[in-house]
Amino acid sequence: MRINNKNYQTIWVKDKDPKTIQIIDQRFLPFEFKTADLKTHKDVFIAIKDMWLRGAPLIGVAGAYGMYLGLLEINSEKNVQKEISKIASYLKSARPTAVNLQFAVDLVTDQIKNKKSLEEKVKTAFNTANKLRNKEIENCQKIGEYGFPIIEKLSKAKKGETVNILTHCNAGWLACIDYGTATAPIYLAHQTGIKLHVWVDETRPRNQGSRLTAFELGQEGIPHTVIADNTGGLLMQKGMVDMVIVGSDRTSANGDVANKIGTYLKALAAHDNNIPFYVALPLSTIDWNIENGVTQIPIEKRDENEVKYVEGWDGKKISQVLVMPENSSALNYGFDITPAKYVTALITEKGVCKATKKELAKLKK
Amino acid sequence: MRINNKNYQTIWVKDKDPKTIQIIDQRFLPFEFKTADLKTHKDVFIAIKDMWLRGAPLIGVAGAYGMYLGLLEINSEKNVQKEISKIASYLKSARPTAVNLQFAVDLVTDQIKNKKSLEEKVKTAFNTANKLRNKEIENCQKIGEYGFPIIEKLSKAKKGETVNILTHCNAGWLACIDYGTATAPIYLAHQTGIKLHVWVDETRPRNQGSRLTAFELGQEGIPHTVIADNTGGLLMQKGMVDMVIVGSDRTSANGDVANKIGTYLKALAAHDNNIPFYVALPLSTIDWNIENGVTQIPIEKRDENEVKYVEGWDGKKISQVLVMPENSSALNYGFDITPAKYVTALITEKGVCKATKKELAKLKK
């Protein structure tokens, strides 16, 4: 998608230097646009852990490239398997809730295990990461195509009046490689001329909504308005929201959705106001081993300073301000669980389905 | 209550200078403690409008003193009635959603209307404001006494284990004159030795929770933890919240509660997790003319910059950082409406009652 009218993706192999992976360093957005070079698996670990990049699909692809870079660092054929295991565990520990990261790292591990030489393993890891990257792009395109008719139908029901869509956090192309998950149907609808407007939850504590989603929508010329996370309920009460669409970091086999903290509250409000609540996700986000998301999905606890301090642009640079008493403490959970019963439907690369174990299982095939 | 171990109230008549009203200027909390002198009704208007002070009961009392200061400014017996009307309308316009402001200004207007001389009117306005101030303190004390058994019962049910209470915004003593509404039962329970802990919603966009509630709880030595507004739902899912208690800016005759934006979302989550949701309020907050809060209570829209910028302590002074693209716009509603059906009970100075028209009407008598 576009930044300053130039096309970008979030992660790519450096031109003429395939031993370097380049990413958009999202920490500076929307105030500054920077890219970063990743040359080792530790670079990838840091980029994931410190959120230079974030978003389930992107984290997965980065993890796959992390495996590739890690293999490049192994300089002896001895203990290769042990080294690989170490690299894999290390990379997975960067974001424990993100099932895509586990998935992608395991995928590479699996693909390389029968390759005999280190060289072959490196080559296979590289190809696997590239394929995964392309697959994620394709998945987002398909999610866009499957989600599009939902917006189109709302637009027709409103006789072409603006369709108001609320989203939480950033499940846009900056969370993926391109197009996004929750945003893919929005971009497609916008391109076909459907009138729409997006309510963007700022998404404290890290403000991925106000910083990233607002940025990417703005760059694509899509009308949008940032709101405090507290506001969505009122807008729904006032009839100012036609649908909600969010992403997912991990979805259980029964359709419970672990997504950015606060998603659950919007699902409750949508339910209370008879507003459809959609979750857009690649199937790789589904954890088939988990039957009950509410009790079984582990919730990442992050640094309390993300709550204590707010980061923003002070006019000259990015800086932080303290927003509470220095001596008070804060608690910072990254995700919550939206029970399947509050999800109108899941939009996947294989089609739209009800958030039930039975319907999801059909897509698994 | 205490600030730096000294007792304060939020508004008082200056010692030896009854023509000056003093307040805690809450704009600088928790980073700096300042008081301000109000000498004219315009000073009061600005203090209310720009939120040097806030909170339904405190706004009301400030409005009453505003009438008193306005009367002091009238220097001729001619057109007194017209001047009074002008002052009253002006003061009321400072915060349109706050029914206490209308109530207090009307109360003073009513009390002075049959007083013949300007001098008598001034004296009556002063006495009325003082009485209202004392009445609000007394109301908060009573709310504390009526709310206390609710916490006590939870504590007993948990066999003395910590009772976890979630609150939104600041319905503490800084929103009142002393004790607070939502906090009054908490302070009382703490004083009697009940083990409790308060989850403090930061309450974007103005962060009254993280800045004021955390501050006042800290000053009283009450264990508390600040959370992003998005977090409460997860904590309830995880069984980490035993009750919710909030204040109200305006309550309809049928028990719908207009309170700080985001309150409704917490009520939905409490309902979904079978957690009791209480609203503490003086009866002056009830607008008996409104039968349906959801459709009839007007919602104040505030400056979008409160969403675009976050204010905090930069290490040396209070400053603001931009948290979204400069060119994106934001929408800033101040309140939402929690339908009565999600309110377990209302805690008032006349007792605890169900949030129904019938039960509320009994307290009116």
Side-chain angles (χ1 to χ4, degrees), chain A residues 143-217:
Chain A
I143 287 169
E145 286 159 20
Y146 282 117
F148 170 77
I150 293 169
I151 300 175
E152 192 186 30
K153 202 174 155 190
L154 281 170
S155 173
K156 280 185 184 158
K158 290 187 85 176
K159 294 176 180 158
E161 287 288 300
T162 302
V163 177
N164 285 295
I165 302 171
L166 186 142
T167 191
H168 189 71
C169 198
N170 177 259
W173 75 269
L174 290 168
C176 304
I177 319 303
D178 217 342
Y179 309 108
T181 52
T183 53
I186 295 172
Y187 287 133
L188 197 55
H190 178 69
Q191 281 158 20
T192 63
I194 287 176
K195 259 174 84 176
L196 51 82
H197 166 264
V198 182
W199 297 111
V200 180
D201 274 358
E202 68 170 336
T203 319
R204 278 281 285 150
R206 290 185 65 94
N207 289 349
Q208 293 95 333
S210 60
R211 292 184 61 168
L212 302 177
T213 305
F215 172 75
E216 62 170 81
L217 293 174

Side-chain angles (χ1 to χ4, degrees), chain B residues 82-97:
Chain B
K82 210 176 142 193
E83 285 296 312
I84 291 172
S85 295
K86 237 171 81 183
I87 293 164
S89 306
Y90 181 67
L91 285 168
K92 284 183 188 179
S93 71
R95 292 292 300 277
T97 305

Side-chain angles (χ1 to χ4, degrees), chain A residues 160-297:
Chain A
E161 287 288 300
T162 302
V163 177
N164 285 295
I165 302 171
L166 186 142
T167 191
H168 189 71
C169 198
N170 177 259
W173 75 269
L174 290 168
C176 304
I177 319 303
D178 217 342
Y179 309 108
T181 52
T183 53
I186 295 172
Y187 287 133
L188 197 55
H190 178 69
Q191 281 158 20
T192 63
I194 287 176
K195 259 174 84 176
L196 51 82
H197 166 264
V198 182
W199 297 111
V200 180
D201 274 358
E202 68 170 336
T203 319
R204 278 281 285 150
R206 290 185 65 94
N207 289 349
Q208 293 95 333
S210 60
R211 292 184 61 168
L212 302 177
T213 305
F215 172 75
E216 62 170 81
L217 293 174
Q219 294 288 329
E220 290 291 326
I222 294 185
H224 63 281
T225 306
V226 175
I227 49 175
D229 300 310
N230 286 320
T231 309
L234 176 74
L235 298 184
M236 294 185 203
Q237 286 176 315
K238 288 169 90 75
M240 294 164 77
V241 180
D242 297 306
M243 67 181 279
V244 180
I245 185 165
V246 298
S248 172
D249 284 79
R250 192 162 181 167
T251 307
S252 62
N254 70 325
D256 295 337
V257 173
N259 190 46
K260 183 60 55 201
I261 191 98
T263 301
Y264 166 51
L265 296 173
K266 294 302 141 59
L268 288 172
H271 182 79
D272 197 44
N273 293 282
N274 292 311
I275 293 164
F277 183 93
Y278 296 97
V279 181
L281 70 162
L283 290 170
S284 59
T285 309
I286 294 170
D287 190 335
W288 300 103
N289 299 318
I290 286 185
E291 292 282 338
N292 181 321
V294 178
T295 56
Q296 292 179 289
I297 296 179

Side-chain angles (χ1 to χ4, degrees), chain B residues 248-262:
Chain B
S248 172
D249 284 79
R250 194 163 179 166
T251 307
S252 62
N254 69 326
D256 295 337
V257 173
N259 191 46
K260 184 60 55 201
I261 191 97

